[in-house]
Amino acid sequence: MGFSLFWMAVKGKAPEAVRNELGLRLTGQRLEFPESNIAAAELPGGWYLIVWDREYPDKYLDDVPGAALKHISTSGGELVTCFVHEGIMISSAAYWKDGRKIWSIIHDSTKGGEHLATEGDLPEIYAQIRDKALSEQRATRGVEYVFDVPLDIAQGITGYSHCQDLPGIEADKPFEELVAEPSSIEAPKPPLWKKLFGG
């Protein structure tokens, strides 16, 4: 089935402030991997990472991409978001700063193996990563290297990849389990991937 998750990394804001803005709180449980519904870790370079597992209700995840992202990235905050769904082969990454989305990159394999939809002022590394992925995909046929383009760019900025160990962290259990405050969970809404990509 593969990975299905959503993560964000925030820089320029204290972890406690980020949790409060998202309606999240610590449980006191430490984790080796982000295997709980919601988990967080502090990354080298000042990024605070929060990962939502696929098992967590879409009704909360669906709230994350809206006003919360704009709010978290205000007052000097930087924000990178990443969505990964290997079951339907959709991936995305976006970068927010000063309350606005600077760029976004989406790959949706239902629109073709080489599909990439972009918006905004893309990072300099985009063209190089895209061209390499397209070249490898065309050479191998059947392997979707383009799926990794948004993920590789998000990793290039934050250092985090959902399928690798945390960079530069020696702790046995670098993640902390989080839970959503009851008031932050609203009525069910369309799944996260539908809000991100339409449909």
Side-chain angles (χ1 to χ4, degrees):
M1 184 172 175
F3 288 100
S4 178
L5 54 88
F6 174 78
W7 64 261
M8 67 167 62
V10 184
K11 190 175 184 179
K13 285 199 169 184
E16 183 179 5
V18 175
R19 291 193 300 269
N20 288 341
E21 290 177 20
L22 290 171
L24 302 173
R25 64 177 173 81
L26 297 170
T27 66
Q29 284 289 114
R30 304 291 306 190
L31 304 166
E32 185 176 358
F33 305 106
E35 295 174 324
S36 61
N37 293 331
I38 314 171
E42 294 187 42
L43 304 178
W47 292 97
Y48 184 60
L49 171 73
I50 303 177
V51 182
W52 282 261
D53 185 75
R54 65 178 179 270
E55 299 298 331
Y56 199 70
D58 284 333
K59 60 187 176 182
Y60 180 71
L61 277 181
D62 192 57
D63 292 336
V64 176
L69 301 185
K70 181 176 181 179
H71 186 63
I72 290 170
S73 66
T74 59
S75 305
E78 293 180 71
L79 173 65
V80 173
T81 64
C82 192
F83 178 72
V84 184
H85 197 311
E86 294 180 351
I88 55 177
M89 293 302 286
I90 292 176
S91 61
S92 77
Y95 174 75
W96 295 66
K97 189 174 183 180
D98 297 328
R100 67 186 187 95
K101 184 164 62 173
I102 306 300
W103 56 259
S104 66
I105 304 163
I106 300 167
H107 169 71
D108 181 351
S109 66
T110 66
K111 297 179 179 178
E114 296 186 4
H115 171 266
L116 284 168
T118 62
E119 178 183 290
D121 187 11
L122 298 171
E124 291 182 8
I125 59 174
Y126 170 72
Q128 179 182 353
I129 290 175
R130 176 203 60 201
D131 292 349
K132 181 181 178 188
L134 286 170
S135 176
E136 290 176 335
Q137 185 160 309
R138 290 166 183 168
T140 57
R141 299 289 179 191
V143 180
E144 285 202 35
Y145 288 96
V146 175
F147 175 83
D148 291 327
V149 170
L151 314 182
D152 290 345
I153 290 172
Q155 181 182 13
I157 295 169
T158 65
Y160 177 70
S161 170
H162 67 280
C163 56
Q164 297 177 9
D165 291 337
L166 290 180
I169 295 180
E170 301 294 332
D172 290 337
K173 296 182 177 181
F175 287 92
E176 297 179 279
E177 182 182 49
L178 304 178
V179 293
E181 297 290 357
S183 61
S184 70
I185 300 177
E186 300 179 357
K189 297 179 181 179
L192 173 64
W193 69 270
K194 284 192 176 181
K195 181 158 187 176
L196 288 172
F197 312 115

